[in-house]
C-alpha cells in the first residue's frame, strides 16, 4: 500500500524497517540518538533500540573510523554527517580506508557502511553548510555515491545502500526533506548503479539529480509546449555512473543538457559530458551544455546565493541553444 | 614479572625471528629486489613480540608501519612465509602483492593491517573494539552470556602518531564508551627526524592519557617481561569492559626512518648507547644467567630460526609476480572495474 509521505519520513521509515530486519544495522553520529538527528531523520530509533543508536562527540574522524572497523567485523553502520561539508573533516577515513578496505583485504572484507550526508544549498547557510560534495568523492574508486530526488527513491535507495557491500555516501538534499511522494509502506529496494529514465523524449537528453530534477521536469513541460521533446535521465547513483543508460539516451536524442547543482569545474556534469563525447561523438547533433553553479563558494546573502546556484532560466536557455544545431 | 623459563625462551625466539626477518628484508630492499619504502623496527622487537604474546589469537591487532614483527608473529607459522613474499610483491604474498610492506594484513589471524596514513588506524580500531561491545549489548548470537569477555583491540602507534587529531578523537570515544582498546604507543624517540621532545610538551607521552582518565603507563620497551606484564593487565581490563589503556613503550629504532635513510639527525653516540640495551641481548642474558641455558642451546635456537627465515626468503624469491591485470580486482565487492 502506498501513501504520501515526506522525503525525511521515507528515510526514517527505511532505517526503522531495515533495522527491524537486520540486527547488525546500527546508527551513529552527532545527536542521532536521543534527539533523533538535527533534521529529525533518526527519530524513534533510540527509543526502540537503545543499544543500536549512538550519540557521539563531535568527532567525524572517529565516527567514520568506527564505521570502517565495525564493518570489517560484520556490522552495518549507518553514520550521519549533519552536513555533507563535514566530509572534509573525515576525508581520510572515506578515501584512504572505506574506499580501499575491500581492495586491501582482497575481497575478504569491505567497508559496508552508509554515510548519510546532508547536502546542497538553498537554505542561506553559506559556504560551510551548503556545498555539493559529490565531486570531492568521485575520483575515489571503491566508493559509491547515491543521490535520491524524491521520497520514493529515498526509501528504496537507502535500503539498497545499507545492503550494498561497499561504502556508500548517501546524499540527502536538505531542500527535499519536506517534499512528499507516494511511498509504499512495505520494505522495498531500488537497484544501485542504475539510472532511471524519468520521462522519455526525442530531442534532448537532460540529466539531472536531486533538487535539479524539479528544474528538469518543469523545463520538459514548458518546452513541450514549443514542440521540444525532452528525455529526462536521473543517474540515482552518481558514482559509479550508469554510462549505458545515459549514452543510449543521448544516442537517441543527439543532444545533451546536464543540470547539476554544484560548481561547474570537474563536477559530474563534466564527467557525463566527457563520457558521451568519448563514446558517441558521431551521434551528437549539438555541443553539450552544462547548467551548474558558478565556480565560487556558496554565499550567505539570499540574492547572492540565488545568483550563484543554477537558475531555471538557464536550463531553458541551454535547451534552446542545443536546438539551434 | 618474571616469565617462566619456557615462555621467555619462546618470546626470545620470536624476537630473534623478527630481527632476522627484518635484516633479510633490509638486505633485499638495499639490493633492489624489494620495491618501495621499507620501514624497519630493528631494536624494537620486545615491544612487538611482547604485545602479540600477551594477547589472544582472537584479539584484533592493528600493526603500525614499522610493524613487520607484529605482523609475522600474528600469523600462524604456515603463513609467515607469505608475509615475507608480500613484501617481495609476489603472487604468493598474503595479499597477493597488493599491499606490500606497509599494508600486510591477515584477517584470519585478526591482523587488520596497517595504513599509510599515521593515525588512521587509531580511529579505525574503534570499530573492531565496538563490534564485541555492540554484540554484547544487544545480546546477539554468541554473545547472550553476560560472562563472555570482549575481544581486545591493540593498536600500535608511534610517538609521531600522537600528533594526529585522530588520537584525541579515538581516545575520547574509547574512554567514554569503555571500549576494549590497548593503545600501544611505541616511543622509538623519532618521528622520521624529529625527536618526540621537539613535537610534544610532555616529557613522557603516556601522561597524555590522564586527560581522558585512561590508565596510562610508561614501561621499558626493551624489556620483554615488562612489556608482557603491562599488556596482560591492560587486556584483562579491556576484556571485562573496563575500558582502554595507553601504554608507552620506551625503545629506539636502530635504522633510519626508511631503509636507506642514514639518520644523520641523531646525536653521536645515541645509537650506540641504545644498542647496549638491545632487547635480544637483555633476554638472552636472563635466559643464560637466570634460567641456566647454555651458549650451545642458544646457538641451536639461532640456527633453527635462520633455517626458517632462509626458507621464507627462498619462497619469496622463487614466487611469481602477480598478474598485472589482477590490479582491477576487488575495487568493489559486487561489481567489476574495467581493465585495459
Amino acid at each position: 500500500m502506498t501513501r504520501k509521505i515526506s522525503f525525511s519520513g521515507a528515510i526514517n521509515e527505511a532505517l526503522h524497517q531495515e533495522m527491524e530486519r537486520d540486527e547488525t544495522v546500527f546508527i551513529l553520529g552527532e545527536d542521532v540518538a536521543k534527539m533523533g538527528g538535527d533534521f529529525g531523520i533518526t527519530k524513534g530509533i533510540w527509543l526502540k533500540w537503545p543499544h543500536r543508536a549512538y550519540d557521539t562527540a563531535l568527532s567525524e574522524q572517529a565516527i567514520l573510523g568506527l564505521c570502517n572497523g565495525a564493518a570489517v567485523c560484520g556490522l552495518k553502520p549507518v553514520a550521519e554527517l549533519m552536513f555533507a561539508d563535514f566530509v572534509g573533516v573525515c576525508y581520510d577515513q572515506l578515501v584512504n580506508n572505506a574506499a580501499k578496505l575491500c581492495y586491501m583485504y582482497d575481497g575478504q572484507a569491505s567497508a559496508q557502511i552508509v554515510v548519510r550526508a546532508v547536502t546542497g544549498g538553498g537554505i542561506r547557510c553559506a559556504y560551510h553548510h551548503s556545498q555539493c560534495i559529490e565531486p570531492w568523492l568521485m575520483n575515489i574508486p571503491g566508493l559509491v555515491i547515491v543521490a535520491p530526488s524524491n521520497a520514493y527513491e529515498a526509501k528504496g535507495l537507502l535500503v539498497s545502500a545499507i545492503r550494498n557491500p561497499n561504502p556508500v555516501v548517501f546524499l540527502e538534499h536538505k531542500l527535499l526533506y519536506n517534499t512528499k511522494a507516494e511511498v509504499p509502506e512495505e520494505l522495498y529496494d531500488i537497484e544501485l548503479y542504475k539510472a532511471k529514465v524519468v520521462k522519455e523524449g526525442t530531442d534532448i537528453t537532460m540529466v539531472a539529480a536531486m533538487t535539479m530534477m524539479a528544474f528538469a521536469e518543469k523545463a520538459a513541460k514548458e518546452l513541450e509546449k514549443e514542440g521540444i521533446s525532452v528525455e529526462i535521465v536521473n543517474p540515482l547513483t552518481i558514482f559509479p555512473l550508469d554510462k549505458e543508460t545515459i549514452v543510449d539516451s543521448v544516442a537517441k536524442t543527439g543532444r545533451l543538457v546536464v543540470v547539476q547543482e554544484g560548481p561547474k569545474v570537474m563536477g559530474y556534469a563534466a564527467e557525463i559530458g566527457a563520457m558521451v563525447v568519448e563514446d558517441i561523438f558521431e551521434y551528437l547533433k549539438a555541443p553539450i551544455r552544462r547548467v551548474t553553479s558558478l565556480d565560487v563558494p556558496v554565499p550567505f546573502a539570499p540574492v547572492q546565493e540565488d545568483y550563484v546556484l543554477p537558475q531555471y532560466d538557464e536550463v531553458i536557455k541551454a535547451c534552446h541553444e542545443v536546438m539551434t544545431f | 614479572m618474571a616469565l617462566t623459563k619456557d615462555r621467555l625462551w619462546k618470546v626470545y625466539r620470536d624476537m630473534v625471528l623478527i630481527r632476522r626477518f627484518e635484516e633479510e628484508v633490509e638486505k633485499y630492499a638495499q639490493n633492489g629486489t624489494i620495491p618501495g619504502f621499507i620501514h624497519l623496527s630493528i631494536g624494537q622487537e620486545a615491544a612487538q613480540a611482547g604485545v602479540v604474546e600477551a594477547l589472544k589469537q582472537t584479539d584484533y591487532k592493528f600493526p603500525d608501519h614499522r610493524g613487520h614483527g607484529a605482523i609475522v608473529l600474528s600469523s600462524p607459522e604456515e603463513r609467515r612465509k607469505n608475509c615475507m613474499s608480500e613484501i617481495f610483491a609476489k603472487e604468493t604474498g598474503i595479499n597477493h602483492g597488493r599491499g606490500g610492506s606497509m599494508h600486510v594484513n591477515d584477517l584470519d589471524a585478526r591482523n587488520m593491517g596497517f595504513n599509510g596514513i599515521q593515525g588512521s588506524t587509531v580511529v579505525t580500531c574503534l570499530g573492531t573494539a565496538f563490534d564485541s561491545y555492540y554484540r554484547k549489548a544487544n545480546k546477539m548470537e554468541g554473545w547472550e552470556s553476560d560472562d563472555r569477555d570482549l575481544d581486545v583491540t591493540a593498536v600500535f602507534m608511534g610517538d609521531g602518531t600522537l600528533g594526529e587529531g585522530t588520537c584525541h578523537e579515538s581516545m575520547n570515544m574509547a574512554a567514554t564508551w569503555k571500549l576494549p582498546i590497548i593503545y600501544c604507543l611505541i616511543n622509538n624517540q623519532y618521528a622520521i627526524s624529529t625527536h618526540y621532545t621537539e613535537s610534544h610538551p610532555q616529557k613522557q607521552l603516556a601522561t597524555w592519557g590522564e586527560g581522558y582518565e585512561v590508565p596510562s603507563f610508561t614501561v621499558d620497551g626493551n624489556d620483554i617481561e615488562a612489556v608482557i606484564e603491562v599488556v596482560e593487565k591492560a587486556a584483562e581490563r579491556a576484556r571485562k569492559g573496563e575500558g582502554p589503556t595507553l601504554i608507552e613503550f620506551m625503545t629506539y629504532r636502530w635504522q633510519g626512518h626508511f631503509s636507506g635513510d642514514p639518520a644523520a639527525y641523531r646525536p653521536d653516540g645515541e645509537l650506540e648507547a641504545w644498542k647496549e640495551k638491545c632487547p635480544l641481548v637483555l633476554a638472552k642474558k636472563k635466559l643464560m644467567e637466570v634460567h641456566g641455558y647454555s651458549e650451545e642451546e642458544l646457538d641451536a635456537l639461532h640456527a633453527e630460526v635462520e633455517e626458517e627465515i632462509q626458507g621464507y626468503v627462498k619462497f619469496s624469491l622463487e614466487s611469481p609476480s602477480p598478474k598485472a591485470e589482477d590490479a582491477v580486482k576487488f575495487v568493489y565487492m559486487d561489481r567489476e572495474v574495467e581493465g585495459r
Side-chain angles (χ1 to χ4, degrees):
Chain A
M1 204 188 102
T2 69
R3 71 280 188 247
K4 267 198 161 175
I5 60 169
S6 67
F7 188 93
S8 53
I11 294 168
N12 182 269
E13 191 169 279
L15 286 170
H16 274 273
Q17 292 182 348
E18 191 60 12
M19 285 180 73
E20 190 74 58
R21 201 186 70 85
D22 183 350
E23 63 178 347
T24 63
V25 180
F26 67 95
I27 61 164
L28 83 164
E30 293 151 17
D31 313 298
V32 298
K34 289 193 188 70
M35 180 185 172
D38 209 34
F39 290 88
I41 307 302
T42 55
K43 62 189 175 198
I45 294 174
W46 176 75
L47 286 171
K48 203 186 280 181
W49 298 290
H51 298 297
R52 294 174 67 188
Y54 293 85
D55 283 327
T56 69
L58 307 189
S59 303
E60 284 82 7
Q61 299 188 83
I63 294 168
L64 271 280
L66 190 151
C67 287
N68 289 331
V72 172
C73 295
L75 298 180
K76 299 189 189 82
V78 182
E80 176 174 299
L81 288 183
M82 198 180 290
F83 289 96
D85 313 65
F86 305 168
V87 157
V89 184
C90 53
Y91 199 63
D92 173 59
Q93 285 301 312
L94 269 181
V95 169
N96 290 318
N97 290 277
K100 293 174 178 61
L101 286 181
C102 181
Y103 202 65
M104 171 174 173
Y105 292 137
D106 294 327
Q108 291 177 72
S110 65
Q112 179 163 358
I113 69 172
V114 176
V115 180
R116 297 183 31 247
V118 183
T119 192
I123 61 160
R124 321 313 191 194
C125 275
Y127 35 77
H128 290 158
H129 284 57
S130 305
Q131 297 171 90
C132 286
I133 60 143
E134 51 277 18
W136 302 2
L137 302 170
M138 282 182 69
N139 202 243
I140 316 298
L143 286 183
V144 178
I145 306 170
V146 175
S149 64
N150 60 46
Y152 173 81
E153 292 164 2
K155 182 174 173 182
L157 287 171
L158 181 57
V159 169
S160 297
I162 296 171
R163 295 177 189 175
N164 185 279
N166 306 296
V168 180
V169 177
F170 190 82
L171 298 173
E172 297 170 13
H173 200 294
K174 47 181 85 73
L175 287 187
L176 292 174
Y177 275 147
N178 291 325
T179 63
K180 292 191 170 180
E182 290 281 340
V183 176
E185 271 178 25
E186 62 271 19
L187 194 56
Y188 62 94
D189 58 0
I190 296 174
E191 196 182 346
L192 298 189
Y193 319 125
K194 194 88 196 119
K196 180 164 85 178
V197 178
V198 177
K199 177 194 161 296
E200 294 201 2
T202 51
D203 298 321
I204 301 171
T205 295
M206 190 179 290
V207 180
M210 295 187 280
T211 50
M212 295 298 106
M213 190 47 60
F215 275 8
E217 285 176 329
K218 188 176 165 196
K221 275 191 192 133
E222 192 172 323
L223 290 161
E224 204 166 302
K225 292 178 200 152
E226 302 172 24
I228 301 169
S229 166
V230 177
E231 175 148 310
I232 304 173
V233 180
N234 185 347
L236 297 180
T237 301
I238 300 272
F239 180 71
L241 280 162
D242 174 4
K243 189 169 163 179
E244 203 183 338
T245 302
I246 295 169
V247 165
D248 283 355
S249 173
V250 183
K252 182 173 80 175
T253 60
R255 298 180 185 87
L256 174 65
V257 173
V258 188
V259 194
Q260 163 202 290
E261 182 178 312
K264 183 176 257 182
V265 175
M266 300 304 287
Y268 62 83
E271 180 59 30
I272 289 170
M275 208 164 80
V276 164
V277 170
E278 227 173 34
D279 258 46
I280 49 160
F281 179 71
E282 65 275 24
Y283 287 84
L284 284 175
K285 296 173 188 158
I288 292 162
R289 282 283 177 266
R290 286 180 281 166
V291 180
T292 68
S293 285
L294 300 178
D295 289 331
V296 298
V298 180
F300 170 60
V303 289
Q304 288 192 335
E305 183 176 34
D306 292 346
Y307 175 75
V308 165
L309 294 179
Q311 295 168 56
Y312 177 67
D313 291 352
E314 292 177 301
V315 181
I316 298 293
K317 187 167 162 251
C319 290
H320 284 150
E321 276 173 16
V322 296
M323 287 307 291
T324 61
F325 290 90
Chain B
M1 179 184 73
L3 296 176
T4 63
K5 186 179 171 180
D6 290 351
R7 201 171 184 203
L8 185 60
W9 177 263
K10 189 252 173 197
V11 290
Y12 176 70
R13 190 186 192 283
D14 286 347
M15 290 195 290
V16 174
L17 185 92
I18 312 179
R19 173 74 57 93
R20 287 295 301 121
F21 186 96
E22 293 235 288
E23 284 170 348
E24 289 300 302
V25 166
E26 162 81 338
K27 183 173 128 192
Y28 288 99
Q30 289 289 352
N31 77 15
T33 310
I34 292 176
F37 285 125
I38 298 293
H39 305 90
L40 299 168
S41 64
I42 295 176
Q44 306 175 191
E45 292 87 351
Q48 296 193 65
V51 172
V52 176
E53 171 65 20
L55 296 174
K56 292 184 185 173
Q57 197 276 317
T58 48
D59 291 330
Y60 296 98
K61 279 86 51 183
F62 285 86
D64 66 11
H65 76 301
R66 213 173 286 290
H68 295 150
I71 287 161
V72 172
L73 297 181
S74 298
S75 272
E77 276 174 32
E78 68 274 15
R79 287 206 292 278
R80 288 178 176 178
K81 62 180 187 305
N82 307 91
C83 293
M84 189 177 268
S85 65
E86 178 64 28
I87 298 167
F88 275 75
K90 295 300 180 74
E91 174 60 27
T92 57
I94 201 151
N95 311 113
H96 308 289
R98 200 179 291 276
S101 167
M102 272 195 282
H103 309 277
V104 187
N105 66 74
D106 183 350
L107 280 189
D108 288 338
R110 295 213 165 159
N111 155 22
M112 308 308 287
F114 180 63
N115 180 300
I117 315 294
Q118 297 303 328
S120 209
T121 50
V122 181
V123 283
T124 310
C125 78
L126 287 164
T128 54
F130 179 82
D131 182 70
S132 54
Y133 170 85
Y134 178 87
R135 288 176 195 271
K136 190 166 180 169
N138 288 294
K139 298 188 184 304
M140 286 169 68
E141 199 186 335
W143 290 86
E144 298 91 343
S145 158
D146 285 339
D147 303 335
R148 177 156 177 191
D149 286 342
L150 302 176
D151 291 329
V152 173
T153 290
V155 61
F156 289 85
M157 53 208 275
D159 43 285
T161 303
L162 204 59
E164 297 287 352
T166 48
C167 295
H168 159 66
E169 293 196 16
S170 177
M171 205 163 297
N172 184 50
M173 193 177 279
T176 305
W177 295 356
K178 296 196 186 312
L179 296 179
I181 297 178
I182 307 176
Y183 295 96
C184 302
L185 200 169
I186 300 194
N187 188 343
N188 68 8
Q189 321 275 320
Y190 288 93
I192 307 188
S193 68
T194 306
H195 195 264
Y196 75 97
T197 54
E198 293 168 343
S199 54
H200 297 277
Q202 300 90 349
K203 285 200 178 64
Q204 279 310 149
L205 300 180
T207 58
W208 199 83
E210 288 166 14
Y212 303 89
E213 300 189 355
V214 168
S216 309
F217 305 93
T218 300
V219 298
D220 178 353
N222 283 8
D223 178 353
I224 185 103
E225 295 188 318
V227 172
I228 293 172
E229 181 180 9
V230 70
V231 178
E232 281 184 341
K233 279 190 185 146
E236 205 179 311
R237 263 175 54 76
R239 282 186 217 293
K240 295 201 179 329
E242 290 169 16
T245 303
L246 169 63
I247 308 166
E248 179 186 18
F249 302 104
M250 297 307 292
T251 185
Y252 195 81
R253 78 165 138 81
W254 291 10
Q255 255 70 17
H257 168 60
F258 54 84
S259 171
D261 165 19
Y265 40 81
R266 300 193 291 212
D268 288 344
E270 190 178 80
L271 171 63
E272 290 68 25
W274 275 93
K275 280 189 171 175
E276 297 285 314
K277 296 185 263 184
C278 171
L280 275 66
V281 171
L282 205 82
K284 184 177 172 179
K285 208 167 156 224
K286 271 185 200 165
L287 283 170
M288 295 179 77
E289 290 175 7
V290 181
H291 298 295
Y293 281 101
S294 67
E295 194 74 58
E296 291 72 37
E297 283 172 302
L298 284 153
D299 285 349
L301 177 148
H302 281 259
E304 196 184 289
V305 170
E306 192 55 34
E307 199 185 328
E308 208 171 310
I309 291 290
Q310 290 312 323
Y312 302 174
V313 172
K314 187 168 182 286
F315 175 75
S316 300
L317 289 170
E318 288 172 357
S319 292
S321 289
K323 285 189 208 136
E325 59 269 31
D326 282 350
V328 302
K329 279 186 180 173
F330 305 124
V331 178
Y332 294 93
M333 273 287 210
D334 60 340
R335 56 183 282 126
E336 302 289 317
V337 169
E338 252 177 70
R340 298 213 168 272

